[in-house]
Amino acid sequence: MASESDDGGEDGGRPAGSEVRKPGFGQADHGKSGYGKSSFGKPGYGKPSYGKPGDGKPGYGKPGFGRPAFGKPGFGKPAYGQRPRPAGPQPAHEGAAVLYGFHPVVQAMGNAERKLHRLLATENGAARLVEELGTLRIEPELVRPADINRLLGADAVHQGLYLEADPLASPGLDALPADALLLALDQITDPHNVGAIVRTAAAFGVTGIVTTARHAPGATGVLAKSASGGLEHVPFLVVRNLAEALITLGEQGFTRIGLDSDAETGLDTLTPTRPAVIVLGAEGKGLRERTRACCDVLAKIPFTGEIRSLNVSNAAAIALYALGR
């Protein structure tokens, strides 16, 4: 009589009392319904989708994804319905004198010695010019205020007028009249101050202003605006070296008067004489040592109040009133 096998019963190795497993457990239909439903075990599970043709479409991985817009044909085109903005007037060519504002432009337009190149004007600005001068020597190019702002900056008070012209000629020291009255500027670099001095000089009938090619602002732009048209009436005598120019003027009979706050002589004690040159130093630094040495006399403004100094353009006005009679 056969005994039971150690491997199990007579049903082929199934231990006695064990549960019979239904066919299909662990196959692809596992979890078809109910709790734990998942795709685990489904055919194709685990096949990587990354890199599949069309992976991530639409969006990431789409052909052309990540191509920068910059440089694409049409990049930078104006938005729908907008027109391209015009480039506007171009800046002045190098060496041109730029004059803006009503008084500087009117005075330059009326000066036959000033060669004109280009006039930009708003409608109102052009109308004011015609009202003041009648027939204009140069045809204005009508522009918007913003066009002039782009050339000068938003802070420039141009009053709708912008003129480009040649600089005025610089006369020589040997071409001065016998009764000339000059101002000499010793390294005054602020264009506002120099412009104000030019305006004052024009008011007092000064023959010319001696200045250096270096360490001095050009007769254009801010200086011209501050001069308010005075550039057309008081020429700049541009020299290489101020001390040498003062020596030359002394040899021609000019009295050289240096304005110096530390001087012992008061300006009110001097007798006006011609020809003469009044020498002004930069604010703070004053006259340089060699410039002082080239003067015949040093004089100060006799202040009576608590403040003992003035802006150099104000000092120039006082000196011209005292000595320009």
Side-chain angles (χ1 to χ4, degrees), residues 16-316:
S18 64
E19 182 181 350
V20 177
R21 296 183 179 182
K22 294 181 179 180
F25 179 81
Q27 296 179 3
D29 61 346
H30 173 71
K32 283 185 179 177
S33 62
Y35 178 80
K37 182 179 180 180
S38 69
S39 60
F40 181 83
K42 289 175 67 178
Y45 176 82
K47 291 200 292 183
S49 60
Y50 183 78
K52 285 172 59 180
D55 170 62
K57 48 177 192 179
Y60 186 83
K62 188 176 180 182
F65 175 83
R67 289 189 300 181
F70 183 79
K72 286 176 64 178
F75 177 78
K77 287 183 179 178
Y80 179 76
Q82 293 183 351
R83 294 181 179 178
R85 295 181 65 180
Q90 298 301 304
H93 65 82
E94 186 177 357
V98 172
L99 312 171
Y100 61 87
F102 182 71
H103 292 294
V105 172
V106 164
Q107 293 296 321
M109 294 281 288
N111 181 6
E113 300 298 319
R114 178 79 84 167
K115 184 177 179 181
L116 311 179
H117 291 293
R118 181 170 69 151
L119 173 63
L120 307 182
T122 62
E123 290 188 10
N124 288 339
R128 289 185 68 191
L129 274 185
V130 172
E131 182 180 355
E132 181 73 19
L133 299 172
T135 303
L136 304 181
R137 290 201 290 136
I138 184 173
E139 185 71 20
E141 177 184 343
L142 294 182
V143 297
R144 300 171 301 170
D147 293 324
I148 302 179
N149 288 343
R150 279 195 289 272
L151 294 174
L152 300 174
D155 294 333
V157 184
H158 53 74
Q159 298 169 294
L161 293 170
Y162 170 100
L163 178 66
E164 293 173 14
D166 279 353
L168 291 169
S170 173
L173 297 180
D174 56 353
L176 299 169
D179 61 345
L181 176 61
L182 303 177
L183 289 177
L185 309 185
D186 187 14
Q187 293 194 351
I188 301 176
T189 58
D190 187 334
H192 294 92
N193 278 339
V194 177
I197 291 171
V198 173
R199 183 175 184 177
T200 299
F204 282 97
V206 169
T207 308
I209 296 177
V210 181
T211 186
T212 52
R214 297 178 59 200
H215 305 295
T220 183
V222 172
L223 188 158
K225 173 61 174 172
S226 300
S228 194
L231 284 175
E232 312 306 318
H233 306 285
V234 184
F236 276 18
L237 287 69
V238 182
V239 299
R240 186 182 64 85
N241 184 283
L242 182 60
E244 292 177 1
L246 290 174
I247 292 172
T248 300
L249 290 173
E251 293 171 349
Q252 294 176 4
F254 278 77
T255 301
R256 300 160 297 183
I257 305 166
L259 212 59
D260 188 342
S261 60
D262 295 328
E264 296 181 359
T265 303
L267 198 61
D268 55 337
T269 65
L270 299 182
T271 301
T273 183
R274 301 289 182 94
V277 52
I278 302 171
V279 189
L280 304 169
E283 290 187 61
K285 296 187 300 182
L287 298 176
R288 290 176 296 164
E289 194 61 37
R290 191 176 180 210
T291 305
R292 291 163 57 95
C294 292
C295 293
D296 299 304
V297 60
L298 298 175
K300 65 181 179 181
I301 298 174
F303 296 111
T304 58
E306 294 300 319
I307 294 179
R308 303 286 174 158
S309 65
L310 290 174
N311 177 282
V312 65
S313 63
N314 293 332

Side-chain angles (χ1 to χ4, degrees), residues 2-10 13:
S3 61
E4 288 185 354
S5 167
D6 292 338
D7 295 335
E10 59 188 18

